[in-house]
Amino acid sequence: MPPCSRDTVSMTTNTYQGLEVLYTRQQIAERVAEMGAQITQDLNGEKLVMVGVLKGAAFFLADLSRAVQADATFDFVATSSYGNGQRSSGAVKLIKDLDEPIEGKNVLVVEDILDTGLTLSYLRKVLLQQHPKSLRIATLLDKPSRRLEKIEADYVGFSIPNLFVIGYGMDYAERYRNLPDICLMTPDHPE
Ligand code: IMP
Ligand code: MG
């Protein structure tokens, strides 16, 4: 894997030096374009409500929505997630609910990472209570080896092993979300 290029990091500090790139912005863009084309095809001309899971999916939703050719609207939810680091807090709860009802609509949940599956299992259950016409899941990354709940995404960008990643919206203790590439976070990386 190539080292994180200098233009992916802050121009004023060396804080991110040593981070390795797992997927470059070009690789991400190509894959997101493919996913958008597939989603467009599956929609068959119907309308779509894209529900982004804050905050990690912000960039993915922004890019994926522009790769989907459909009459689409956005909504956002937020759940409790990883605490202050790489360890999961375990319990999932809704911190921010939908703004608009989704009954009878085609819903696409847009998530950054499907990891243990706790978040998306919970979200799917909560959203299905509103009786959408359809409910699909798009995740940029999937870590199938980490699954605790039985859940799969309908659209997966990249399937990865048990690595902790940052960038392109994904954080470590709220930092690094603005890295344009997806980089590896090693446990011994200095904070
Ligand atoms: P879950 O374990 O499937 O419930 O995933 C919950 C959330 O944990 C994901 O939506 C991510 O926001 C976060 N997460 C899981 N793995 C990583 C990672 O490698 N880097 C950053 N965030 C992660
Ligand atoms: Mg997330």
Side-chain angles (χ1 to χ4, degrees):
M1 276 171 276
C4 218
S5 62
R6 273 202 70 79
D7 67 334
T8 67
V9 302
S10 162
M11 299 304 287
T12 53
T13 72
N14 294 324
T15 311
Y16 305 132
Q17 267 196 355
L19 293 178
E20 287 186 49
V21 174
L22 186 60
Y23 295 107
T24 64
R25 65 200 78 178
Q26 290 85 359
Q27 289 172 312
I28 298 167
E30 283 168 22
R31 188 68 192 112
V32 170
E34 290 172 356
M35 295 175 82
Q38 185 65 56
I39 291 164
T40 303
Q41 191 178 320
D42 294 349
L43 262 179
N44 219 1
E46 294 198 21
K47 292 184 183 179
L48 182 66
V49 181
M50 303 183 79
V51 176
V53 185
L54 295 171
K55 304 170 193 167
F59 296 129
F60 181 41
L61 175 75
D63 287 340
L64 185 66
S65 64
R66 286 176 290 180
V68 172
Q69 290 174 34
D71 184 346
T73 57
F74 292 173
D75 209 334
F76 293 95
V77 292
T79 60
S80 63
S81 61
Y82 279 53
N84 213 22
Q86 297 188 14
R87 281 186 49 230
S88 170
S89 59
V92 180
K93 64 177 185 208
L94 209 57
I95 295 169
K96 187 217 166 292
D97 205 343
L98 294 169
D99 292 335
E100 299 289 334
I102 54 168
E103 185 174 348
K105 298 185 174 168
N106 295 306
V107 173
L108 181 69
V109 178
V110 180
E111 173 65 306
D112 54 358
I113 306 188
L114 177 50
D115 187 28
T116 64
L118 290 166
T119 304
L120 280 174
S121 297
Y122 170 80
L123 264 181
R124 183 175 60 179
K125 188 182 77 185
V126 167
L127 297 178
L128 283 176
Q129 285 168 357
Q130 287 202 32
H131 304 292
K133 180 177 180 186
S134 67
L135 182 73
R136 291 197 172 118
I137 295 171
T139 188
L140 180 62
L141 300 178
D142 186 9
K143 296 189 204 173
S145 67
R146 294 257 307 157
R147 208 73 93 245
L148 296 175
E149 292 281 336
K150 192 172 161 13
I151 183 163
E152 297 302 328
D154 301 275
Y155 308 97
V156 174
F158 303 102
S159 188
I160 63 169
N162 184 16
L163 301 167
F164 198 87
V165 295
I166 50 177
Y168 195 70
M170 292 167 283
D171 73 308
Y172 174 75
E174 293 299 326
R175 296 171 61 206
Y176 308 109
R177 292 192 194 275
N178 60 326
L179 285 177
D181 306 304
I182 297 175
C183 297
L184 289 183
M185 182 83 200
T186 49
D188 57 350
H189 188 80
E191 287 184 41

